[in-house]
Amino acid sequence: MVSIDRSDDGRHGIWDDVQAIAMGTFFAAVGIEFFRDAHLGTGGTAGVAFLIHYVTQFGIGPVIFLLNLPFYAFGWVTLGKEFTLKTFAAVALLSVESYFMHDAFAIGYSAPWFSAIIGGALTGVGMLLLFRHHSSLGGIGMLAAFVQERLGWRAGKFQLATDLAILATSFLVLNWKNVALSVLGAVVLNLVLAVNHKPGRYNGY
Protein backbone atom coordinates (compact mmCIF):
# COMPACT_ATOMS: atom_id res chain seq x y z
CA MET A 1 0.00 0.00 0.00
CA VAL A 2 1.09 3.58 -0.64
CA SER A 3 1.22 5.65 2.52
CA ILE A 4 -0.20 9.15 2.42
CA ASP A 5 1.48 11.90 4.36
CA ARG A 6 -1.30 13.75 6.14
CA SER A 7 1.08 16.35 7.56
CA ASP A 8 0.95 18.47 4.39
CA ASP A 9 -1.47 21.35 4.95
CA GLY A 10 -2.11 21.75 1.24
CA ARG A 11 -0.16 24.97 0.83
CA HIS A 12 2.13 25.38 -2.12
CA GLY A 13 5.86 25.65 -1.46
CA ILE A 14 8.00 28.37 -2.96
CA TRP A 15 9.21 26.19 -5.82
CA ASP A 16 5.61 25.26 -6.62
CA ASP A 17 4.84 28.97 -6.89
CA VAL A 18 7.92 29.67 -9.01
CA GLN A 19 7.07 27.02 -11.59
CA ALA A 20 3.41 28.03 -11.63
CA ILE A 21 4.23 31.69 -12.24
CA ALA A 22 6.77 30.74 -14.91
CA MET A 23 4.42 28.38 -16.74
CA GLY A 24 1.30 30.47 -16.20
CA THR A 25 2.86 33.59 -17.68
CA PHE A 26 4.37 31.57 -20.53
CA PHE A 27 0.98 30.14 -21.52
CA ALA A 28 -0.53 33.62 -21.29
CA ALA A 29 2.27 35.16 -23.38
CA VAL A 30 1.76 32.57 -26.13
CA GLY A 31 -1.99 33.19 -26.04
CA ILE A 32 -1.41 36.94 -26.30
CA GLU A 33 0.84 36.37 -29.33
CA PHE A 34 -1.97 34.47 -31.08
CA PHE A 35 -4.27 37.42 -30.41
CA ARG A 36 -1.70 39.92 -31.66
CA ASP A 37 -0.87 37.91 -34.78
CA ALA A 38 -4.56 37.83 -35.78
CA HIS A 39 -5.00 41.53 -34.91
CA LEU A 40 -7.55 40.72 -32.22
CA GLY A 41 -8.24 42.27 -28.86
CA THR A 42 -9.04 40.79 -25.50
CA GLY A 43 -10.32 41.89 -22.13
CA GLY A 44 -8.69 43.03 -18.94
CA THR A 45 -5.53 45.08 -18.72
CA ALA A 46 -4.10 43.17 -21.68
CA GLY A 47 -7.08 44.29 -23.73
CA VAL A 48 -6.34 47.94 -22.95
CA ALA A 49 -2.69 47.27 -23.81
CA PHE A 50 -3.74 45.84 -27.18
CA LEU A 51 -5.73 48.98 -28.00
CA ILE A 52 -2.76 51.19 -27.10
CA HIS A 53 -0.46 48.92 -29.14
CA TYR A 54 -2.65 49.09 -32.25
CA VAL A 55 -2.91 52.87 -32.04
CA THR A 56 0.68 53.73 -31.06
CA GLN A 57 2.69 50.59 -32.02
CA PHE A 58 4.25 50.56 -28.55
CA GLY A 59 5.21 47.04 -27.44
CA ILE A 60 2.44 45.13 -25.69
CA GLY A 61 4.74 43.88 -22.94
CA PRO A 62 5.93 47.27 -21.63
CA VAL A 63 2.41 48.69 -21.89
CA ILE A 64 0.99 45.82 -19.81
CA PHE A 65 3.63 46.46 -17.15
CA LEU A 66 2.94 50.20 -16.99
CA LEU A 67 -0.85 49.82 -16.94
CA ASN A 68 -0.65 47.53 -13.93
CA LEU A 69 1.37 49.88 -11.72
CA PRO A 70 -1.67 51.63 -10.16
CA PHE A 71 -3.25 48.30 -9.16
CA TYR A 72 -0.49 47.21 -6.81
CA ALA A 73 -1.49 49.65 -4.07
CA PHE A 74 -5.04 48.26 -4.26
CA GLY A 75 -3.75 44.70 -4.11
CA TRP A 76 -1.45 45.42 -1.15
CA VAL A 77 -4.33 46.83 0.91
CA THR A 78 -7.12 44.45 -0.07
CA LEU A 79 -5.41 41.16 -1.00
CA GLY A 80 -2.23 41.25 1.04
CA LYS A 81 1.51 41.46 0.55
CA GLU A 82 2.03 37.90 -0.69
CA PHE A 83 -0.58 38.13 -3.44
CA THR A 84 0.66 41.55 -4.55
CA LEU A 85 4.33 40.54 -4.70
CA LYS A 86 3.54 37.37 -6.64
CA THR A 87 1.35 39.35 -9.02
CA PHE A 88 4.09 41.93 -9.55
CA ALA A 89 6.51 39.12 -10.41
CA ALA A 90 3.99 37.53 -12.77
CA VAL A 91 3.22 40.79 -14.58
CA ALA A 92 6.91 41.65 -14.91
CA LEU A 93 7.68 38.20 -16.32
CA LEU A 94 4.70 38.32 -18.69
CA SER A 95 5.83 41.73 -19.93
CA VAL A 96 9.30 40.42 -20.75
CA GLU A 97 7.93 37.26 -22.36
CA SER A 98 5.43 39.23 -24.45
CA TYR A 99 8.13 41.66 -25.56
CA PHE A 100 10.33 38.87 -26.92
CA MET A 101 7.61 36.41 -27.96
CA HIS A 102 7.26 37.83 -31.47
CA ASP A 103 10.96 37.19 -32.07
CA ALA A 104 10.92 33.74 -30.44
CA PHE A 105 8.59 32.03 -32.90
CA ALA A 106 6.54 32.76 -36.01
CA ILE A 107 2.97 31.51 -36.09
CA GLY A 108 3.02 31.45 -39.89
CA TYR A 109 -0.66 30.84 -40.54
CA SER A 110 -3.53 30.53 -38.12
CA ALA A 111 -7.16 31.13 -39.07
CA PRO A 112 -8.46 34.11 -37.06
CA TRP A 113 -11.20 32.00 -35.44
CA PHE A 114 -8.59 29.45 -34.36
CA SER A 115 -6.32 32.20 -33.00
CA ALA A 116 -9.26 33.50 -30.95
CA ILE A 117 -10.00 30.07 -29.48
CA ILE A 118 -6.43 28.93 -28.80
CA GLY A 119 -5.41 32.39 -27.59
CA GLY A 120 -8.31 32.47 -25.14
CA ALA A 121 -7.70 28.92 -23.97
CA LEU A 122 -3.97 29.37 -23.39
CA THR A 123 -4.40 32.70 -21.62
CA GLY A 124 -7.19 31.25 -19.48
CA VAL A 125 -5.07 28.26 -18.47
CA GLY A 126 -2.21 30.60 -17.64
CA MET A 127 -4.44 32.74 -15.45
CA LEU A 128 -5.88 29.64 -13.80
CA LEU A 129 -2.38 28.49 -12.83
CA LEU A 130 -1.67 31.89 -11.34
CA PHE A 131 -4.97 32.10 -9.45
CA ARG A 132 -4.34 28.69 -7.91
CA HIS A 133 -1.00 29.89 -6.63
CA HIS A 134 -2.38 33.08 -5.10
CA SER A 135 -1.30 35.34 -7.94
CA SER A 136 -2.76 36.99 -11.05
CA LEU A 137 -1.89 39.00 -14.13
CA GLY A 138 -2.80 42.19 -12.31
CA GLY A 139 -5.39 44.77 -13.27
CA ILE A 140 -8.84 43.26 -13.68
CA GLY A 141 -7.42 39.92 -12.57
CA MET A 142 -6.67 41.41 -9.15
CA LEU A 143 -10.23 42.71 -8.91
CA ALA A 144 -11.56 39.30 -9.97
CA ALA A 145 -9.49 37.56 -7.30
CA PHE A 146 -10.75 40.09 -4.73
CA VAL A 147 -14.44 39.62 -5.48
CA GLN A 148 -14.03 35.83 -5.43
CA GLU A 149 -12.10 35.70 -2.17
CA ARG A 150 -14.01 38.42 -0.32
CA LEU A 151 -17.48 38.40 -1.91
CA GLY A 152 -17.79 34.81 -3.15
CA TRP A 153 -18.47 35.82 -6.76
CA ARG A 154 -16.97 33.64 -9.47
CA ALA A 155 -13.82 35.22 -10.88
CA GLY A 156 -14.62 34.04 -14.41
CA LYS A 157 -18.07 35.62 -14.51
CA PHE A 158 -16.85 38.89 -13.05
CA GLN A 159 -13.96 39.06 -15.48
CA LEU A 160 -16.21 38.20 -18.43
CA ALA A 161 -18.46 41.17 -17.65
CA THR A 162 -15.54 43.58 -17.41
CA ASP A 163 -13.89 42.08 -20.48
CA LEU A 164 -17.00 42.61 -22.60
CA ALA A 165 -17.09 46.26 -21.52
CA ILE A 166 -13.46 46.70 -22.54
CA LEU A 167 -14.01 44.86 -25.82
CA ALA A 168 -16.87 47.20 -26.67
CA THR A 169 -14.31 49.98 -26.98
CA SER A 170 -12.39 47.88 -29.52
CA PHE A 171 -14.78 49.10 -32.20
CA LEU A 172 -12.74 52.30 -32.12
CA VAL A 173 -9.70 50.55 -33.63
CA LEU A 174 -10.86 47.15 -34.97
CA ASN A 175 -13.40 46.12 -37.60
CA TRP A 176 -16.54 44.32 -36.49
CA LYS A 177 -15.29 40.87 -37.54
CA ASN A 178 -12.16 41.18 -35.42
CA VAL A 179 -14.20 42.50 -32.51
CA ALA A 180 -16.55 39.51 -32.81
CA LEU A 181 -13.58 37.13 -32.82
CA SER A 182 -12.08 39.00 -29.87
CA VAL A 183 -15.33 38.41 -27.95
CA LEU A 184 -15.08 34.72 -28.85
CA GLY A 185 -11.55 34.61 -27.41
CA ALA A 186 -12.69 36.38 -24.24
CA VAL A 187 -15.58 33.93 -23.80
CA VAL A 188 -13.23 30.95 -24.15
CA LEU A 189 -10.76 32.49 -21.68
CA ASN A 190 -13.42 33.17 -19.09
CA LEU A 191 -15.08 29.78 -19.54
CA VAL A 192 -11.77 28.23 -18.53
CA LEU A 193 -11.86 30.29 -15.33
CA ALA A 194 -15.58 29.94 -14.64
CA VAL A 195 -15.55 26.15 -14.98
CA ASN A 196 -12.26 25.47 -13.19
CA HIS A 197 -11.92 28.21 -10.59
CA LYS A 198 -14.90 28.17 -8.24
CA PRO A 199 -15.03 29.40 -4.63
CA GLY A 200 -14.04 26.66 -2.18
CA ARG A 201 -13.22 24.17 -4.93
CA TYR A 202 -9.45 24.43 -4.73
CA ASN A 203 -7.44 24.87 -1.53
CA GLY A 204 -3.89 24.90 -2.79
CA TYR A 205 -2.78 28.21 -1.35
Side-chain angles (χ1 to χ4, degrees):
M1 295 180 62
V2 178
S3 61
I4 300 176
D5 183 6
R6 301 291 185 181
S7 63
D8 186 0
D9 65 358
R11 293 180 62 88
H12 292 299
I14 185 163
W15 292 114
D16 298 325
D17 291 337
V18 168
Q19 65 83 24
I21 291 173
M23 293 305 299
T25 55
F26 178 75
F27 284 139
V30 175
I32 287 172
E33 181 60 18
F34 271 98
F35 286 142
R36 189 207 61 77
D37 184 75
H39 204 69
L40 304 179
T42 187
T45 311
V48 178
F50 269 113
L51 296 180
I52 295 174
H53 167 70
Y54 291 143
V55 172
T56 66
Q57 297 304 306
F58 289 155
I60 294 175
V63 175
I64 290 175
F65 181 80
L66 292 174
L67 286 175
N68 275 288
L69 291 178
F71 287 94
Y72 296 125
F74 166 81
W76 192 280
V77 172
T78 60
L79 296 169
K81 178 175 68 174
E82 178 185 354
F83 181 89
T84 304
L85 292 176
K86 287 181 182 179
T87 295
F88 178 84
V91 172
L93 185 56
L94 175 70
S95 300
V96 173
E97 291 168 340
S98 297
Y99 184 79
F100 290 105
M101 188 61 66
H102 184 56
D103 297 323
F105 81 104
I107 294 175
Y109 173 75
S110 175
W113 62 266
F114 181 80
S115 291
I117 293 173
I118 193 65
L122 287 171
T123 306
V125 169
M127 293 178 67
L128 180 64
L129 279 170
L130 294 173
F131 280 170
R132 288 187 168 185
H133 286 257
H134 205 44
S135 180
S136 77
L137 291 180
I140 303 302
M142 296 183 82
L143 296 178
F146 171 76
V147 299
Q148 174 148 308
E149 288 192 11
R150 301 296 178 85
L151 303 179
W153 301 353
R154 289 190 183 180
K157 290 183 177 180
F158 174 83
Q159 183 140 349
L160 178 58
T162 57
D163 285 354
L164 292 176
I166 292 171
L167 283 166
T169 64
S170 297
F171 281 106
L172 298 174
V173 296
L174 300 176
N175 61 50
W176 71 267
K177 290 183 179 179
N178 282 18
V179 172
L181 289 172
S182 299
V183 172
L184 172 62
V187 169
V188 171
L189 186 161
N190 287 284
L191 278 175
V192 171
L193 296 180
V195 171
N196 295 284
H197 192 61
K198 299 177 181 179
R201 178 70 57 87
Y202 187 80
N203 299 311
Y205 293 170

